[in-house]
Amino acid sequence: MNRVILIGRLTREPELRYTQARQAVCTFNLAVDKGLSKQRRQEAEANNRPTADFPRITVWGVQAENASRYLHKGSQCAIEGRIQTGSYQDSQTGKMIYTTDVVADRVEFIESRSSSQANSNFDNINQDQGYNNSYNNNSNNSYQNDGSDDFFDDDFTEIEDDGRIPF
């Protein structure tokens, strides 16, 4: 079985091309956290080793056009697909180059970096002005957080971002 599911952030803008048969193909790299323990992450960072993997993603057809249109550097997305290996001979050195790509069958747009920063800034402004945070899912139902709900208190820990990792 050859199935892959990845969640990460784009490290660069997606590149959209078309084949001679007018088939759309989009490629981009995804920064996927390795999920290291705090100690191993600190060791890796101290030794300038990466704490994320950066697989190249290839998307075909209408999904390729949508990925190119709606994904940007820093956008978070989920990919479902398969691993594809290949090789070619470098024309300058004559060496054999081996490649590993993920061919995406499905792309889910999770969140763009700008929208997550905008939401964070909006929440900070509301907290500074003494407003309660509220969630409205574009229907008549809304949720008001009055601070008494401790359902998630022990499930989440805040992660500090020092800007060295692209996600």
Side-chain angles (χ1 to χ4, degrees):
M1 182 181 303
N2 183 357
R3 297 303 304 160
V4 174
I5 298 174
L6 300 170
I7 296 177
R9 292 196 183 272
L10 274 70
T11 61
R12 60 183 170 87
E13 292 295 317
E15 293 179 23
L16 180 65
R17 300 181 318 275
Y18 289 89
T19 64
Q20 290 180 346
R22 301 297 303 153
Q23 174 95 12
V25 59
C26 182
T27 57
F28 53 89
N29 287 78
L30 203 62
V32 180
D33 187 45
K34 289 185 177 184
L36 301 173
S37 68
K38 184 177 180 180
Q39 179 183 356
R40 291 200 184 237
R41 178 176 299 279
Q42 289 171 344
E43 287 174 12
E45 288 174 350
N47 294 321
N48 288 330
R49 290 193 317 250
T51 58
D53 291 312
F54 304 94
R56 187 170 77 167
I57 311 297
T58 303
V59 187
W60 292 88
V62 175
Q63 285 195 95
E65 293 171 334
N66 288 336
S68 173
R69 186 176 301 123
Y70 297 113
L71 291 176
H72 302 283
K73 181 179 179 177
S75 296
Q76 188 177 34
C77 70
I79 304 295
E80 182 180 353
R82 61 185 170 82
I83 301 252
Q84 177 176 290
T85 59
S87 63
Y88 63 92
Q89 191 168 15
D90 187 336
S91 60
Q92 293 179 348
T93 65
K95 284 185 159 184
M96 187 62 73
I97 306 295
Y98 297 94
T99 63
T100 302
D101 296 320
V102 175
V103 178
D105 298 324
R106 184 173 168 194
V107 178
E108 292 280 333
F109 309 138
I110 297 176
E111 178 180 69
S112 69
R113 177 164 287 267
S114 61
S115 71
S116 68
Q117 288 174 345
N119 288 339
S120 174
N121 289 341
F122 179 74
D123 289 343
N124 290 339
I125 290 168
N126 281 342
Q127 288 172 357
D128 290 345
Q129 295 176 354
Y131 295 120
N132 289 333
N133 292 333
S134 66
Y135 169 78
N136 187 350
N137 61 358
N138 295 329
S139 69
N140 292 333
N141 301 331
S142 65
Y143 170 75
Q144 290 290 120
N145 182 4
D146 62 2
S148 64
D149 185 10
D150 63 353
F151 181 76
F152 292 110
D153 282 352
D154 60 349
D155 287 351
F156 297 100
T157 56
E158 187 76 23
I159 297 175
E160 293 184 27
D161 179 16
D162 60 4
R164 293 188 290 172
I165 299 176
F167 50 86

